[in-house]
């Protein structure tokens, strides 16, 4: 053996068992009990952690499903809102279309108007009709047809004296 001073020293390896200091060795049963207690505690802790992990995963999956459902409902609501606003916009334009039609149907007044003014009004009417048609609205002429509440909208009532028409 070499020490720090580069000198060799010898160690006496001829020691008998009696000369060794006495070391108390714990019994094997105590070691096994302590080990099994630690092992049982660790297994219990692992089982608790597994349960907690499962609960967290279930909660996160539920939260994800709730989020996806909420996003789907929001998209559906937006689509319904777009349709509703588009319908409202067209409904707001329909009285304007009717007013143009009534003004243009009065032949006497229409013929008396300045031709340049009539041309401008007709151009505005054409633009308005294109706008309404771009929303898939078509003109329906129900004159002479029986009233169909699924297709027609009642705008007023008239008293009819003809019993044939009342039935």
């Amino acid at each position: 053996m070499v020490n720090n001073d580069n000198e060799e020293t010898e160690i006496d390896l001829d020691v008998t068992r009696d000369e060794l200091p006495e070391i108390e060795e714990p019994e094997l049963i105590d070691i096994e009990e302590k080990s099994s207690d630690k092992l049982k505690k660790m297994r219990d802790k692992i089982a608790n952690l597994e349960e907690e992990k499962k609960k967290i995963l279930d909660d996160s999956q539920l939260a994800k499903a709730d989020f996806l459902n909420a996003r789907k409902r929001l998209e559906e609501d937006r689509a319904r809102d777009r349709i509703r606003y588009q319908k409202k916009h067209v409904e707001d334009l329909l009285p304007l279309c009717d007013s143009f039609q009534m003004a243009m149907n009065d032949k006497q007044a229409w013929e008396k108007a300045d031709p340049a003014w009539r041309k401008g009004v007709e151009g505005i009417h054409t633009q308005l009709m294109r706008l309404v048609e771009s929303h898939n609205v078509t003109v329906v002429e129900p004159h002479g047809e029986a009233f169909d509440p699924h297709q027609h909208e009642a705008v007023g009532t008239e008293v009819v004296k003809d019993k044939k028409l009342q039935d």
Side-chain angles (χ1 to χ4, degrees):
M1 178 181 252
V2 180
N3 65 11
N4 289 343
D5 297 333
N6 290 334
E7 295 179 17
E8 290 187 21
T9 55
E10 288 186 27
I11 298 177
D12 184 19
L13 295 177
D14 294 329
V15 179
T16 63
R17 192 167 188 72
D18 296 331
E19 295 175 355
L20 286 176
E22 251 184 64
I23 301 175
E24 278 189 36
E25 294 182 15
E27 290 188 24
L28 188 57
I29 296 173
D30 290 339
I31 293 173
E32 286 177 353
E33 285 178 9
K34 287 180 183 178
S35 296
S36 67
D37 285 345
K38 283 183 181 180
L39 190 58
K40 185 177 185 277
K41 286 179 184 178
M42 292 181 113
R43 284 185 179 144
D44 289 345
K45 188 172 184 176
I46 289 172
N48 289 337
L49 291 173
E50 288 292 331
E51 285 179 36
E52 192 175 325
K53 175 185 166 189
K54 184 179 182 303
K55 185 182 181 317
I56 290 171
L57 284 175
D58 290 346
D59 290 347
S60 69
Q61 287 176 342
L62 183 62
K64 182 179 179 181
D66 287 344
F67 172 76
L68 293 175
N69 289 336
R71 182 171 33 176
K72 183 179 177 182
R73 279 191 307 271
L74 180 63
E75 289 171 359
E76 290 169 353
D77 287 347
R78 284 182 180 167
R80 277 193 303 272
D81 286 345
R82 275 192 298 273
I83 292 168
R84 185 178 21 242
Y85 291 134
Q86 197 173 41
K87 182 179 177 183
K88 175 73 173 125
H89 178 67
V90 170
E91 287 174 352
D92 290 344
L93 291 176
L94 289 178
L96 186 60
C97 294
D98 290 342
S99 296
F100 268 105
Q101 200 62 45
M102 285 190 315
M104 294 169 75
N105 283 343
D106 186 358
K107 295 294 181 189
Q108 289 178 346
W110 191 251
E111 293 298 324
K112 290 180 185 175
D114 181 9
W117 183 84
R118 282 194 322 235
K119 186 174 182 177
V121 170
E122 288 171 348
I124 295 169
H125 180 257
T126 302
Q127 289 175 348
L128 178 62
M129 294 310 292
R130 282 189 196 138
L131 177 65
V132 171
E133 288 171 1
S134 72
H135 291 282
N136 299 320
V137 176
T138 57
V139 176
V140 177
E141 293 291 338
H143 296 290
E145 292 182 22
F147 180 77
D148 179 4
H150 300 289
Q151 187 177 15
H152 305 126
E153 182 176 336
V155 291
T157 58
E158 281 187 28
V159 178
V160 178
K161 293 182 181 179
D162 188 0
K163 289 191 179 217
K164 198 174 179 186
L165 293 174
Q166 287 179 345
D167 294 332

